Amino acid sequence: MDAQTTTAPAGHPRRWVILGVLVISLLVVVLDNTILNVALRTIADPEHGLGATQSELEWAINSYTLVFAGLLFTAGILADRLGRRITLVTGLAIFALASLISTYADTANQLIAARALMGLGAAAVMPATLSIIANVFTPQERPRAIGIWAGAVGLGVAIGPIVGGLLLEHFWWGSVFLINVPIALAGVFLVSFLVPESRDPRPNRIDIPGVLLSIVGLTLLTYGVIEGGEAGFGDPKSWGTLAGAVVVLAAFVWWEMRTEFPSLDVRLFRNRTFSASTGVIGLVFFAAMGAMFFGAFYLQLVRNYGPLASGALFVPFAVAQMVFAPRSAAMVKRFGPKMVSTVGLLLVAAGLTLWIFIGQDTPIWIVGAAFFVMGAGMANVMPPATESIMSALPREKAGVGSAVSNTIRQLGGALGVAVLGAVLSSVYRSNLGTATDGLPAQAADAARESISGAYGVAEQAGAAGAQLIPAANAAFLDAMHVASIGSAVFALLGAVVALLWLPGKRPASAPKPTSAEGLAEEQGVELVEA
């Protein structure tokens, strides 16, 4: 099956079967992150895990997302040049290998490195799935297909915590990565035999300087934020790294505006709809992923739920996405992207606001309700925002559009974990007070580093440990409430962006633009050819 057939106006005859295969491929990438949320406490345990500190746990999450985000542009271009099917198969194979390495990591640093390799595989998988959808479905069917694709994210979120909890109840921590291997290999087989090959007849060259600058800049930014949470933002290592990140990212933008074949054509952001859509995606993931991070510690430590029980409490978030994401296309048709996305972001903000009032003895159904409201909100943000991004580009440039969408999503999530994790660490330490007085210096440092460190110290500290736990719980809850306020503020900021700059309901008689030129003409924006 050649590229021209896969982009036929009538759509590919096996397009719905292909969508099912792409959902399976997507699931393995989503499954990994949701499983990891449940496994954080176990990996932090020095006896049953790796004894990872909170900053190492943040890096275990962010090494994956930073490589993922940094290489998505290049992966999208490679998919357009070499073929989307072969790129997807290669990404799944790398992901399976990296998952196997993660399974048998002996130290936190080994796990961080293996997770970075997993990010490389995921970077090839994610844009390929979305660009294949754009090429096998007609513009009329594409919103529905993207809604189902987004619903698959919800399915992964639903399956991940339950599967992770079951594995951790019966096996060692490495099993949460081993589960990825058979799923990824099944994806390799199905994609190879069922998905047609397609590519861009006029692909761009690979922008190696741009790729390197983006990875270095994003890594410095994340490191500076995490280090600021550990040592304070007045520390030269923190503000110096952040200053370096600003310089490198500014150089990245400068280079991308001047190179003939940019990995990210920053001129696309002159399109108001394109810019607003990417901004909304980044803000909602910043808010939600940071909340997922502190929510996992709250459930497993403060509330003392096991991996399976805490995993089950993430399910309402996923169920809401599965229910509402496939219906979002109909909602957008009726009310327009502006209204649907704004209401969705307000729901996310409402769910995050509930966390401000959650304490140690709060009825657990309120926690489930907060996750459900957040999930319902995200289900009505992601599909219309993603469709707006994809509609801003010609179909043959689908890899670029999907790369931008997923890069912003991963970058938003990584910064959410880093920034809100830094807030959590800073407020926790400042509120712990004198609870560590009388402990050996090393034990006191571990207890001040994170609530998981405090619990580890308490198990071996006898009477002093019994006094440490209540103080650590109280300090963590204070920190969680402050982080929740930050999450809600970013979700509200996203609602403002959506309300001001996303397009409203299109008149029934008006044809929908399907290219960057069409959207630019509609909005009075001039696009400059690369």
Side-chain angles (χ1 to χ4, degrees):
M1 188 70 65
D2 59 23
Q4 186 172 352
T5 302
T6 64
T7 59
H12 194 279
R14 294 198 308 268
R15 58 192 178 277
W16 295 107
V17 176
I18 292 168
L19 179 61
V21 174
L22 297 178
V23 164
I24 293 174
S25 302
L26 177 66
L27 273 178
V28 71
V29 176
V30 179
L31 198 68
D32 174 72
N33 268 343
T34 55
I35 283 180
L36 184 59
N37 280 331
V38 178
L40 290 175
R41 180 188 178 184
T42 306
I43 295 174
D45 190 301
E47 182 179 351
H48 301 102
L50 299 175
T53 65
Q54 182 165 306
S55 62
E56 287 172 336
L57 291 175
E58 291 177 38
W59 276 113
I61 296 172
N62 285 337
S63 65
Y64 173 87
T65 53
L66 287 175
V67 173
F68 194 170
L71 293 179
L72 271 171
F73 297 122
T74 301
I77 294 170
L78 282 174
D80 289 342
R81 174 184 290 272
L82 303 177
R84 286 129 188 176
R85 180 178 65 185
I86 187 62
T87 303
L88 179 54
V89 168
T90 302
L92 287 169
I94 292 173
F95 196 88
L97 175 62
S99 296
L100 195 61
I101 297 172
S102 298
T103 299
Y104 297 104
D106 292 324
T107 66
N109 287 334
Q110 288 180 13
L111 178 61
I112 290 168
R115 290 275 297 162
L117 184 59
M118 290 173 71
L120 173 62
V125 171
M126 186 72 84
T129 60
L130 200 51
S131 56
I132 289 170
I133 288 173
N135 277 271
V136 301
F137 284 92
T138 64
Q140 293 74 26
E141 290 180 320
R142 189 170 61 199
R144 183 184 173 198
I146 289 177
I148 295 172
W149 178 89
V153 175
L155 181 62
V157 174
I159 294 173
I162 297 297
V163 172
L166 285 170
L167 291 170
L168 291 170
E169 293 281 351
H170 297 93
F171 303 102
W172 88 114
W173 67 268
S175 62
V176 301
F177 298 108
L178 189 61
I179 190 66
N180 295 333
V181 177
I183 300 174
L185 294 179
V188 168
F189 176 81
L190 292 172
V191 170
S192 299
F193 285 95
L194 293 175
V195 176
E197 186 61 281
S198 64
R199 56 179 60 87
D200 185 352
R202 294 178 298 174
N204 288 341
R205 296 174 186 170
I206 297 175
D207 174 24
I208 294 177
V211 171
L212 294 177
L213 285 171
S214 66
I215 293 176
V216 172
L218 293 175
T219 302
L220 288 174
L221 178 63
T222 305
Y223 179 85
V225 171
I226 293 175
E227 186 64 26
E230 293 293 311
F233 287 95
D235 187 278
K237 188 183 293 186
S238 175
W239 64 258
T241 304
L242 290 173
V246 171
V247 172
V248 174
L249 291 174
F252 169 75
V253 173
W254 178 86
W255 172 261
E256 296 303 286
M257 293 183 68
R258 286 159 177 77
T259 186
E260 184 179 2
F261 297 101
S263 59
L264 170 60
D265 187 355
V266 294
R267 287 164 291 193
L268 289 173
F269 290 93
R270 295 175 182 175
N271 182 302
R272 184 180 64 188
T273 298
F274 187 91
S275 298
S277 299
T278 54
V280 161
I281 289 174
L283 288 167
V284 76
F285 266 82
F286 181 103
M289 293 304 102
M292 290 286 190
F293 182 75
F294 63 67
F297 287 102
Y298 167 78
L299 291 171
Q300 293 195 33
L301 292 171
V302 177
R303 298 303 292 263
N304 197 31
Y305 283 99
L308 182 57
S310 61
L313 286 164
F314 284 102
V315 170
F317 177 86
V319 169
Q321 289 202 46
M322 292 171 61
V323 170
F324 292 106
R327 292 167 172 77
S328 64
M331 298 293 290
V332 170
K333 185 176 181 181
R334 183 174 179 181
F335 300 106
K338 180 193 296 286
M339 183 61 67
V340 174
S341 297
T342 301
V343 172
L345 281 155
L346 289 175
L347 285 173
V348 173
L352 291 166
T353 301
L354 280 176
W355 280 93
I356 300 172
F357 306 100
I358 290 173
Q360 187 166 353
D361 301 317
T362 299
I364 203 63
W365 68 265
I366 295 179
V367 176
F371 278 131
F372 183 85
V373 173
M374 287 168 56
M378 288 190 71
N380 286 289
V381 173
M382 291 306 299
T386 303
E387 168 60 16
S388 296
I389 290 172
M390 299 301 288
S391 297
L393 296 173
R395 295 175 78 188
E396 63 271 15
K397 299 294 183 182
V400 176
S402 61
V404 171
S405 171
N406 288 291
T407 295
I408 295 299
R409 174 161 60 183
Q410 294 300 322
L411 179 57
L415 289 178
V417 171
V419 172
L420 296 177
V423 170
L424 201 69
S425 296
S426 179
V427 177
Y428 167 81
R429 278 197 302 273
S430 65
N431 287 1
L432 195 56
T434 60
T436 58
D437 291 354
L439 292 174
Q442 187 174 0
D445 289 342
R448 284 193 295 266
E449 198 274 336
S450 68
I451 187 173
S452 58
Y455 269 74
V457 169
E459 291 178 358
Q460 303 174 359
Q467 297 176 357
L468 177 60
I469 292 300
N473 285 343
F476 177 84
L477 288 172
D478 289 340
M480 185 182 78
H481 295 155
V482 174
S484 299
I485 293 172
S487 297
V489 166
F490 275 90
L492 289 172
L493 180 59
V496 172
V497 171
L499 185 63
L500 292 178
W501 292 299
L502 283 185
K505 182 180 179 182
R506 190 179 304 278
S509 59
K512 179 180 179 182
T514 57
S515 68
E517 290 79 8
L519 281 171
E521 182 179 354
E522 180 187 70
Q523 299 162 5
V525 178
E526 180 182 359
L527 290 182
V528 181
E529 292 295 327

